[in-house]
Amino acid sequence: MNAPVSTPTSAPALTKNQSLVFDVLDRADAPMSAYTILDRLRDHGFRAPLQVYRALDKLLEFGMVHRLESLNAFVACAHPESECCGKGHGHGHGTVAFAICESCGHVSEFHDHEVDHRLGAWAKAKNFKPAKTTIEIRGLCGACAA
Amino acid sequence: MNAPVSTPTSAPALTKNQSLVFDVLDRADAPMSAYTILDRLRDHGFRAPLQVYRALDKLLEFGMVHRLESLNAFVACAHPESECCGKGHGHGHGTVAFAICESCGHVSEFHDHEVDHRLGAWAKAKNFKPAKTTIEIRGLCGACAA
DNA sequence: TGACACACGTTATAGCATAACGCAATTGAT
DNA sequence: ATCAATTGCGTTATGCTATAACGTGTGTCA
Ligand SMILES: [Zn+2]
Ligand SMILES: [Zn+2]
Ligand SMILES: [Zn+2]
Ligand SMILES: [Zn+2]
């Protein structure tokens, strides 16, 4: 009864908890911390942080959610469809960058092939094997900077 | 008696606590968390996290220390001398990237002008005003990947 | 049927960071 | 000299973020 429920869609089947967490993030207009997500889901039976973290771990693994390291918070994936660096595992995409507005909280997710390339070139030259790359720009969005 | 002690060098004068914290980081061969720094300085009279965090805040402000967001840890600045993007406030440098070995903890700090340029161009196009940019590559260094 | 994998729930604990108070020393007017 | 503003410091308490360790239930597949 706790197994994932398969759906007619292409995305990986999500369990109930994973769906609840993803829906909260997908509807949010700013990054959310795990504990904020927890509070939003108290009415759906969530009682402990682990319920959130376990769902987040899976959603991160599926590539449906991103963690913003500079905020200790999470966002639903909203990367543009440009699959130029897709890695082929279904939804997958290459390294992505985030622009985070410190005033309104809005996050823009984008991919820049040249940035990826330059960082990859540095790694290759130094014989460094990248596993995960974080790029986050904090600042003010166009609307808030005006 | 708590005022900074001026020195014949060019760097900003550091207070006793700031010097102690910087020395610990400068001698370390891997990033250190604030609490680890605290433990190293118990013998020098440190008793509370705030003593560390306040020193770190100043050192970050001076550009002598960097925070690694993906690790919640700190490193002494070790950027190469290339001052191509120096901002002129003494030691200052432009956006810097970190390659962090998940096996041995070694951190390489580097600057890539083209990456800076591309991220700046994106920001300009989107009318986003960057305040601080984080670039961190987690992976395995040459020595550990062998 | 039994071994296994996986999602789940709960309690406790670990690790990271700041709020709020008050004191001491320095600085730089007036 | 004296006062006000600033800065650094020390302490206590608190809050936020994340994981360890345990046990349960359920579906899968020899
Ligand atoms: Zn994405
Ligand atoms: Zn904004
Ligand atoms: Zn540096
Ligand atoms: Zn290494």
Side-chain angles (χ1 to χ4, degrees):
Chain A
M1 187 262 202
N2 278 334
V5 174
S6 85
T7 71
T9 82
S10 61
L14 298 183
T15 66
K16 185 163 196 291
N17 283 5
Q18 288 160 16
S19 289
L20 286 167
V21 169
F22 179 74
D23 285 351
V24 167
L25 282 178
D26 199 38
R27 285 195 248 280
D29 56 349
M32 298 187 71
S33 77
Y35 279 73
T36 306
I37 295 169
L38 173 58
D39 286 337
R40 292 281 176 93
L41 290 176
R42 298 248 180 226
D43 293 344
H44 292 271
F46 276 53
R47 317 290 308 266
L50 239 84
Q51 296 175 272
V52 177
Y53 281 109
R54 289 205 270 231
L56 285 172
D57 283 346
K58 281 300 180 185
L59 293 169
L60 288 167
E61 182 185 323
F62 298 154
M64 298 174 66
V65 158
H66 298 290
R67 176 186 169 82
L68 298 179
E69 302 288 354
S70 69
L71 252 42
N72 293 328
F74 304 84
V75 287
C77 174
H79 75 283
E81 310 69 26
S82 67
E83 290 285 358
C84 81
C85 290
K87 286 188 186 142
H89 57 297
H91 156 117
H93 49 55
T95 293
V96 78
F98 301 92
I100 305 165
C101 178
E102 298 188 303
S103 173
C104 70
H106 179 76
V107 174
S108 295
E109 178 179 348
F110 66 98
H111 169 76
D112 185 297
H113 194 78
E114 180 66 12
V115 168
D116 237 25
H117 177 73
R118 295 286 296 183
L119 295 178
W122 183 94
K124 190 148 203 167
K126 300 292 186 181
N127 210 28
F128 186 95
K129 305 300 177 201
K132 174 149 197 298
T133 299
T134 296
I135 305 177
E136 298 176 17
I137 312 174
R138 310 263 307 250
L140 292 177
C141 75
C144 292
Chain B
M1 187 261 203
N2 279 333
V5 174
S6 83
T7 70
T9 83
S10 62
L14 299 183
T15 66
K16 185 163 198 290
N17 284 5
Q18 287 159 18
S19 290
L20 287 168
V21 169
F22 180 75
D23 286 351
V24 167
L25 281 178
D26 200 38
R27 283 195 249 279
D29 57 351
M32 297 186 72
S33 77
Y35 277 72
T36 305
I37 295 169
L38 172 59
D39 286 338
R40 291 281 176 92
L41 291 175
R42 298 249 181 224
D43 293 343
H44 292 269
F46 276 52
R47 316 290 309 264
L50 259 183
Q51 295 174 274
V52 177
Y53 281 109
R54 290 204 270 231
L56 285 172
D57 284 346
K58 280 300 180 189
L59 294 170
L60 288 166
E61 181 185 323
F62 298 154
M64 298 174 66
V65 158
H66 299 290
R67 176 185 169 82
L68 299 179
E69 302 288 353
S70 69
L71 252 43
N72 293 329
F74 304 84
V75 288
C77 174
H79 76 282
E81 311 69 29
S82 67
E83 291 284 357
C84 80
C85 288
K87 286 189 187 140
H89 57 296
H91 156 117
H93 49 55
T95 293
V96 79
F98 301 92
I100 305 165
C101 178
E102 299 189 300
S103 172
C104 69
H106 179 76
V107 174
S108 296
E109 177 179 349
F110 66 99
H111 168 76
D112 184 298
H113 193 77
E114 181 65 13
V115 167
D116 237 25
H117 178 73
R118 294 285 297 181
L119 295 178
W122 182 93
K124 190 149 206 168
K126 299 291 187 183
N127 210 28
F128 186 95
K129 305 299 178 204
K132 173 149 200 294
T133 299
T134 297
I135 304 177
E136 297 176 16
I137 312 175
R138 310 263 308 252
L140 292 177
C141 75
C144 290

